[in-house]
Amino acid sequence: MTSQLDPNVMAKVTSWLNGDYDIDTKQSIQQLIDEANDTELTDAFYKDLEFGTGGLRGLIGIGSNRMNRYTVGTATQGLANYLNKAFPNEEKKVAIAYDSRIKSDEFAKIIAEIFSANGITVYLFEALRPTPELSFAIRLLGCKSGVVVTASHNPKEYNGYKAYWDDGSQVVAPHDTNIIGEVNAIKSIDDVKFDGDSSKIHKIGAEVDEKYMDHILSLSISKDAIARQKDLKIVYTPLHGTGVTLVPTLLGKMGFEAVTVIEEQAEPKGNGQFPTVVYPNPEESEAMSKAVARAKEIDADLVLGTDPDADRVGIAVKNHHGEIQLLNGNQTASVLIYYLLNAWKDAGKLTGTQFVCKTIVTTDLIDKMAAAYDVKCYNTLTGFKYIAQVIREKEGVEQFIGGGEESYGYLIGDAVRDKDAIASCAMIAELTAYAKDKGLSLFDMLMEIYKQFGFYYEGLISLTKKGKSGADEIQQMMADFRANPPKTLAGSPVIRMDDYKALTTVDFTSGTTHSIPSGEMGIEPSNVLQFFTEDGTKFTCRPSGTEPKIKFYVGVRAALERNEDFDSVYDSLKEKVKGIGEELGLK
């Protein structure tokens, strides 16, 4: 053993060499020892890959701090133990899905074996499927839990594991911390039951696909407009992910006849290499570049791009200059919610008990629109599991129309309890057809929204602070903002501060402090600060929970009187956001 290793790392490495691990794993560890690769050994073994509130995510490889059969196995055994305790006298069923990443199919099979070895019935998708379909399957099949193997849009070297509860949403309190406790209680790999019971593992596939697509088709509002605009030109890229299994078929079922799929990005291969993109993330213009280029060639009306597990969608449309322009998550969420609100109103379905839901860092334009339609808008912490929590708490009392978050995740209807790029692709295509049927582009619709409700613009300032010193710096920045709140932003007085860690709202105008209700409605203590100004600016400080970053969300607004003023108003709002970042020294 190399003498340079930390004693704790050496102890962990020795336990893997001497423990009940497979020969390939031990040989790989020994090779790193022989090469004196202390850096890799340390990174692979200095800690256990943490099972957080959302599950696991990490680099694929050997070691306790990597995604491999043993870390995945430990997580699954902990979840199985909790399920057996939580539902002692009930039949327990789980559903499992996986994406196109490296080892996703292998990990899914290991998870299925372990659940079955613990007496739990397993429904395992026969091939890769989107994350939202996993959520749908949990509810359809009456499962107590579910797991999807994915690292969303992370680089190809990563994989992950997301745990779901019986309502189809990602686990929330108290189940999240209880599961973490069970996972941490497993001290030996010998406690993991890898030898499965094949009689308890059932393959699922086409029959669930059909019911899922039937559900999405039932959400359609403007079938006549689609029929008239069946030649709407749509370009779709699945970015080498699971969306290819459903999106093209679904658009065809809706009646769209001019769908172009980017073929070089349509073959997942199951190897997770993502060969044509740097990051398989539809939020990145580079990832969408092939689809945008194709759209320009064929003069397309709409571009759709889904991430590897198909829970997020990015879009591009023709702007007011006739150019293909990517929309951000706030803009897409806004046109989606606007379309749904109008459709529900036109159908006479708005009775005062409907609601939409979004996160606190998503555009306040949605709040403004909802109020105009006498529809409640609930705001939750960042993370779609909190939106799902509100849907669950309001079930049977109020009716969910739709919701979303600025990070390109949206949901229509409540049969799925996670962001759903499959249903979103369908609805975005439909609303584009609806707009074109009225002689408008989707971008025209967005400008109409801005003229009616105000031009809302959101900017994101993201600062990376690596290592312990970076983490300390982030904590100090938050402490400074709490101790010394900004008095003004872009010249407008700050009139309110919401502190989600203390769960208090401070009204600077009256000098009063109020409590923020916690424990329900998607709110719990979280290290987030928000400041609101007299002119409607919103400034949010939020350290990332998964990356060494602190994010600052800046939302500003202005009036838009005419379409011709769009560019000048846009430029002034963009400059305002930039100026706020500079005056606060965010660099």
Side-chain angles (χ1 to χ4, degrees):
M1 186 72 68
T2 172
S3 61
Q4 301 301 312
L5 282 179
D6 178 275
N8 292 325
V9 174
M10 288 178 65
K12 189 68 69 67
V13 170
T14 301
S15 72
W16 277 55
L17 285 173
N18 295 334
D20 191 15
Y21 297 86
D22 66 271
I23 188 65
D24 289 343
T25 293
K26 292 183 178 182
Q27 287 177 348
S28 297
I29 295 171
Q30 189 60 52
Q31 183 177 344
L32 291 176
I33 294 170
D34 294 342
E35 294 170 353
N37 193 338
D38 291 356
T39 300
E40 178 61 25
L41 279 169
T42 297
D43 198 41
F45 286 98
Y46 84 98
K47 66 175 183 176
D48 291 341
L49 188 63
E50 182 181 359
F51 191 98
T53 54
L56 298 172
R57 186 171 297 184
L59 292 165
I60 302 163
I62 58 163
S64 60
N65 189 35
R66 296 284 187 264
M67 283 288 294
N68 52 60
R69 68 178 277 110
Y70 303 108
T71 53
V72 167
T74 300
T76 306
Q77 185 63 54
L79 177 53
N81 289 347
Y82 182 63
L83 288 171
N84 280 325
K85 290 180 179 178
F87 305 102
N89 300 310
E90 300 179 49
E91 181 188 9
K92 289 165 284 292
K93 298 184 287 187
V94 299
I96 302 170
Y98 59 92
D99 70 5
S100 56
R101 288 181 173 273
I102 296 167
K103 290 186 178 290
S104 281
D105 55 346
E106 179 183 323
F107 290 153
K109 290 172 184 173
I110 291 168
I111 294 164
E113 296 284 352
I114 294 170
F115 276 132
S116 69
N118 283 274
I120 297 170
T121 300
V122 175
Y123 293 101
L124 173 64
F125 276 99
E126 62 191 2
L128 72 170
R129 288 297 193 281
T131 288
E133 189 175 3
L134 182 275
S135 175
F136 179 82
I138 289 170
R139 297 173 59 78
L140 176 72
L141 300 169
C143 296
K144 300 298 187 189
S145 181
V147 172
V148 61
V149 181
T150 180
S152 190
H153 51 272
N154 275 50
K156 63 185 179 181
E157 295 84 6
Y158 286 77
N159 213 325
Y161 177 117
K162 290 198 287 191
Y164 288 74
W165 204 240
D166 59 358
D167 66 335
S169 74
Q170 290 189 57
V171 292
V172 294
H175 306 300
D176 50 4
T177 53
N178 291 343
I179 293 167
I180 291 168
E182 291 291 342
V183 174
N184 293 340
I186 297 172
K187 300 304 181 186
S188 169
I189 199 64
D190 297 329
D191 295 332
V192 180
K193 300 176 182 177
F194 284 103
D195 296 327
D197 178 354
S198 59
S199 71
K200 288 190 170 294
I201 301 175
H202 308 283
K203 292 292 183 70
I204 56 174
E207 68 281 10
V208 178
D209 296 343
E210 289 302 319
K211 288 178 178 171
Y212 177 45
M213 286 191 286
D214 285 347
H215 159 67
I216 295 172
L217 291 170
S218 75
L219 299 171
S220 180
I221 303 160
S222 303
K223 294 182 175 66
D224 291 345
I226 293 173
R228 288 189 291 268
Q229 301 297 332
K230 63 183 181 180
D231 295 328
L232 186 84
K233 290 182 181 178
I234 302 171
V235 175
Y236 170 64
T237 174
L239 298 177
H240 305 286
T242 59
V244 73
T245 61
L246 293 176
V247 172
T249 301
L250 180 62
L251 292 174
K253 283 177 176 284
M254 294 178 72
F256 292 108
E257 298 178 357
V259 179
T260 299
V261 178
I262 304 300
E263 292 300 333
E264 65 261 49
Q265 295 180 326
E267 178 50 69
K269 300 184 186 299
N271 60 14
Q273 294 297 324
F274 309 124
T276 68
V277 293
V278 177
Y279 297 108
N281 184 357
E283 297 181 53
E284 301 287 340
S285 58
E286 183 274 333
M288 297 287 284
S289 61
K290 288 185 180 296
V292 168
R294 185 70 175 131
K296 291 177 180 176
E297 289 174 14
I298 66 172
D299 193 31
D301 300 283
L302 175 65
V303 177
L304 299 166
T306 52
D307 66 345
D309 69 322
D311 62 354
R312 299 173 194 247
V313 56
I315 77 170
V317 296
K318 282 184 191 172
N319 66 15
H320 53 308
H321 299 301
E323 301 164 348
I324 299 291
Q325 177 178 328
L326 292 164
L327 297 191
N328 63 40
N330 283 305
Q331 292 171 320
T332 303
S334 296
V335 291
L336 258 175
I337 298 299
Y338 176 74
Y339 176 66
L340 292 170
L341 289 170
N342 266 308
W344 279 62
K345 180 185 177 183
D346 291 346
K349 293 167 61 178
L350 294 182
T351 62
T353 60
Q354 286 71 38
F355 72 95
V356 297
C357 198
K358 69 178 187 68
T359 64
I360 59 174
V361 297
T362 302
T363 179
D364 288 343
L365 173 55
I366 294 174
D367 301 77
K368 185 80 175 288
M369 291 190 297
Y373 287 84
D374 196 26
V375 169
K376 298 183 186 73
C377 181
Y378 296 115
N379 283 267
T380 75
L381 294 177
T382 303
F384 230 87
K385 64 182 180 181
Y386 296 113
I387 293 177
Q389 181 183 354
V390 173
I391 297 172
R392 182 172 63 251
E393 290 169 359
K394 291 295 179 182
E395 202 161 13
V397 180
E398 296 178 16
Q399 191 173 12
F400 176 70
I401 294 176
E405 58 185 3
E406 45 72 43
S407 54
Y408 293 60
Y410 322 105
L411 177 62
I412 301 100
D414 63 0
V416 170
R417 300 298 171 90
D418 203 351
K419 47 189 177 285
D420 186 347
I422 309 301
S424 297
C425 281
M427 195 58 73
I428 292 165
E430 177 174 316
L431 73 86
T432 306
Y434 172 84
K436 192 169 186 180
D437 203 47
K438 294 184 177 299
L440 303 171
S441 70
L442 189 149
F443 199 86
D444 291 332
M445 182 185 285
L446 181 64
M447 288 197 291
E448 290 301 313
I449 293 169
Y450 287 155
K451 285 190 292 184
Q452 185 176 352
F453 300 102
F455 194 149
Y456 286 69
Y457 174 79
E458 292 78 27
L460 174 65
I461 302 167
S462 183
L463 305 181
T464 299
K465 306 285 185 179
K466 293 184 178 180
K468 183 180 184 303
S469 61
D472 291 343
E473 187 177 351
I474 288 172
Q475 293 306 313
Q476 188 59 51
M477 291 176 82
M478 293 298 291
D480 290 344
F481 273 114
R482 280 191 172 88
N484 301 292
K487 298 289 190 297
T488 62
L489 292 173
S492 181
V494 173
I495 59 174
R496 188 179 113 209
M497 177 180 75
D498 289 354
D499 186 341
Y500 284 91
K501 188 175 183 180
L503 291 173
T504 57
T505 291
V506 181
D507 185 328
F508 293 120
T509 304
S510 64
T512 58
T513 299
H514 307 281
S515 296
I516 298 173
S518 175
E520 57 183 17
M521 300 304 293
I523 300 297
E524 61 187 15
S526 183
N527 192 17
V528 179
L529 284 171
Q530 287 195 307
F531 301 94
F532 302 84
T533 71
E534 203 170 70
D535 72 354
T537 295
K538 180 173 73 174
F539 175 69
T540 307
C541 317
R542 174 179 167 264
S544 171
T546 58
E547 301 171 286
K549 291 180 178 180
I550 182 168
K551 297 180 178 181
F552 301 95
Y553 304 80
V554 188
V556 294
R557 71 187 191 206
L560 179 65
E561 302 292 341
R562 307 176 305 154
N563 288 2
E564 293 80 5
D565 299 331
F566 180 91
D567 291 339
S568 61
V569 175
Y570 172 80
D571 288 342
S572 67
L573 291 174
K574 193 174 181 181
E575 281 301 309
K576 187 173 182 179
V577 168
K578 181 181 177 183
I580 289 171
E582 289 173 350
E583 72 178 82
L584 293 174
L586 303 179
K587 57 185 178 179

